[in-house]
Amino acid sequence: QELQRLDQILTTVQNKIADAENKSAYDKEKAKDILDKAYLDAKSVLDSGYYRDKATIYLLQIEDTRDKLDNVKRIDKPKVLADLATKRPDVNALGLVVYGDRVFVYEYNALYELVLDQIQDPLTIDKTETVIAAAGFDDRKSLIFLTKTGKLIEFKDGTMSFMDSDDGAFRKGSALSTWGNKIYILDNAASQIWKYTYKGSSNKFGPSEGYVVDKTYISKASDFAIDSNVYVLQNNGDILKFYGGTNAKFYINNPPFNAFKDPKVIYTTEKLDHVYVLDAKDSRILVFQKDSKTGNLIYVTQYLFENSDELRDLYVNPDSKKMYVLTKSKVLEVGL
């Protein structure tokens, strides 16, 4: 009787998988619920000790169905464009940073330029400061680095130099971005994004201005990106969208089945039609299309890097349609 009961459960699991595939075309949330229940049923049979092989097959089938409905692209052997360990064996890369058509990798005190598929010898950013974030500053054709102590260092024409503001200092923060002649610093402690405008006449930045004007809570933000709108990635995976400093009405349509576990990076530019979110713990990058009519984001696909080290950062070239992904020591290349 017990064997018959377990066999009947597996039969219902098979039916639920088929039902989820049918419903996914018009009700993804319902399909998700059905697959979740099918998973629990198949797991209960597996844990019983009977029909283990059959239950395992169904569990794998449920995983494959989730991948199919989420349009998951599994990448088991990505192209290694460059290996930074050839320049420094103990390298601990933090991020990718770009200005113009030049691509760089940085760590806490060193900067590496990527020329084609070759990593150049590292340049020292500063001997005493610890870099935590960086951004390309196209307005000055330079790179800027935010340090742990709240200082800004600029790399321009082969030279590193400290930058100044009318405040005499910069706010401390965890992430950095630029837009036109302005830089933006994410300050979790103050639940604010500080804006500084560069003044060419005095060769320094003006005073800090709070960008978020509606008191939206962003102290748990992991990162942010700008494409005229400002997208803020919260550490629970929520994405907020600001325009003119105000939190805009905003939705994510067709959300993926698997929630974010460790969302670290959000990336987009005004030249891209998509927003990319890096989930470090699962080694995956989720892609959302910008809906020009509604202003919402629509989930479209995700890239899952199997057997890969922890992902640290990403950059998408809008012309070549290639995505560059950074690990602790390697730059990976993926065609989109």
Side-chain angles (χ1 to χ4, degrees), residues 37-50:
K37 291 175 182 176
Y39 175 85
L40 293 175
D41 288 346
K43 188 69 166 54
S44 70
V45 176
L46 181 71
D47 293 342
S48 74
Y50 300 103

Side-chain angles (χ1 to χ4, degrees), residues 194-211:
W194 300 107
K195 178 176 66 175
Y196 293 85
T197 303
Y198 184 76
K199 301 187 297 183
S201 57
S202 57
N203 196 30
K204 64 179 180 179
F205 289 96
S208 63
E209 303 173 65
Y211 171 75

Side-chain angles (χ1 to χ4, degrees), residues 42-291:
K43 188 69 166 54
S44 70
V45 176
L46 181 71
D47 293 342
S48 74
Y50 300 103
Y51 295 126
R52 291 180 62 85
D53 289 346
K54 193 172 182 181
T56 300
I57 290 172
Y58 282 131
L59 287 170
L60 291 173
Q61 191 174 342
I62 290 168
E63 183 179 348
D64 288 342
T65 303
R66 283 172 169 163
D67 281 1
K68 178 182 175 183
L69 300 184
D70 263 349
N71 193 23
V72 175
K73 303 181 189 299
R74 292 180 177 269
I75 302 173
D76 58 349
K77 294 181 180 179
K79 177 182 177 181
V80 178
L81 187 66
D83 186 350
L84 283 76
T86 60
K87 296 296 182 181
R88 182 180 288 181
D90 61 347
V91 63
N92 187 13
L94 295 177
L96 289 159
V97 61
V98 179
Y99 79 87
D101 58 357
R102 299 178 68 182
V103 180
F104 299 81
V105 177
Y106 68 94
E107 56 176 336
Y108 77 100
N109 70 341
L111 179 67
Y112 308 76
E113 185 169 8
L114 180 60
V115 180
L116 298 178
D117 59 350
Q118 299 294 318
I119 284 286
Q120 305 302 300
D121 291 336
L123 299 173
T124 299
I125 298 173
D126 188 77
K127 293 182 179 180
T128 59
E129 293 291 329
T130 298
V131 172
I132 59 173
F137 197 15
D138 287 339
D139 187 68
R140 284 182 50 79
K141 297 181 173 57
S142 65
L143 303 178
I144 52 174
F145 302 94
L146 176 65
T147 73
K148 191 174 182 179
T149 61
K151 292 183 173 62
L152 279 189
I153 300 172
E154 182 181 44
F155 176 66
K156 181 177 173 62
D157 299 329
T159 302
M160 301 284 181
S161 58
F162 286 90
M163 306 191 82
D164 197 7
S165 75
D166 286 345
D167 294 337
F170 292 92
R171 303 272 186 165
K172 292 182 181 180
S174 60
L176 178 70
S177 192
T178 65
W179 181 258
N181 66 337
K182 298 176 178 62
I183 65 165
Y184 296 78
I185 297 174
L186 172 63
D187 181 350
N188 297 90
S191 188
Q192 183 60 272
I193 295 174
W194 300 107
K195 178 176 66 175
Y196 293 85
T197 303
Y198 184 76
K199 301 187 297 183
S201 57
S202 57
N203 196 30
K204 64 179 180 179
F205 289 96
S208 63
E209 303 173 65
Y211 171 75
V212 178
V213 297
D214 61 0
K215 297 183 179 180
T216 300
Y217 187 69
I218 60 169
S219 66
K220 293 186 178 181
S222 299
D223 193 23
F224 71 112
I226 304 175
D227 70 351
S228 75
N229 301 295
V230 175
Y231 296 91
V232 175
L233 176 66
Q234 302 279 60
N235 63 6
N236 64 355
D238 289 345
I239 299 174
L240 307 178
K241 181 180 177 181
F242 292 84
Y243 185 76
T246 301
N247 193 1
K249 289 185 178 180
F250 170 71
Y251 301 96
I252 294 180
N253 302 126
N254 187 40
F257 283 119
N258 294 324
F260 291 108
K261 292 183 179 178
D262 189 22
K264 289 292 188 184
V265 177
I266 186 166
Y267 180 82
T268 192
T269 70
E270 72 278 9
K271 296 180 180 179
L272 294 172
D273 296 327
H274 296 85
V275 172
Y276 301 80
V277 177
L278 184 151
D279 193 1
K281 187 168 290 186
D282 277 353
S283 296
R284 60 183 181 143
I285 294 173
L286 288 80
V287 185
F288 303 83
Q289 184 177 0
K290 300 173 186 176
D291 188 332

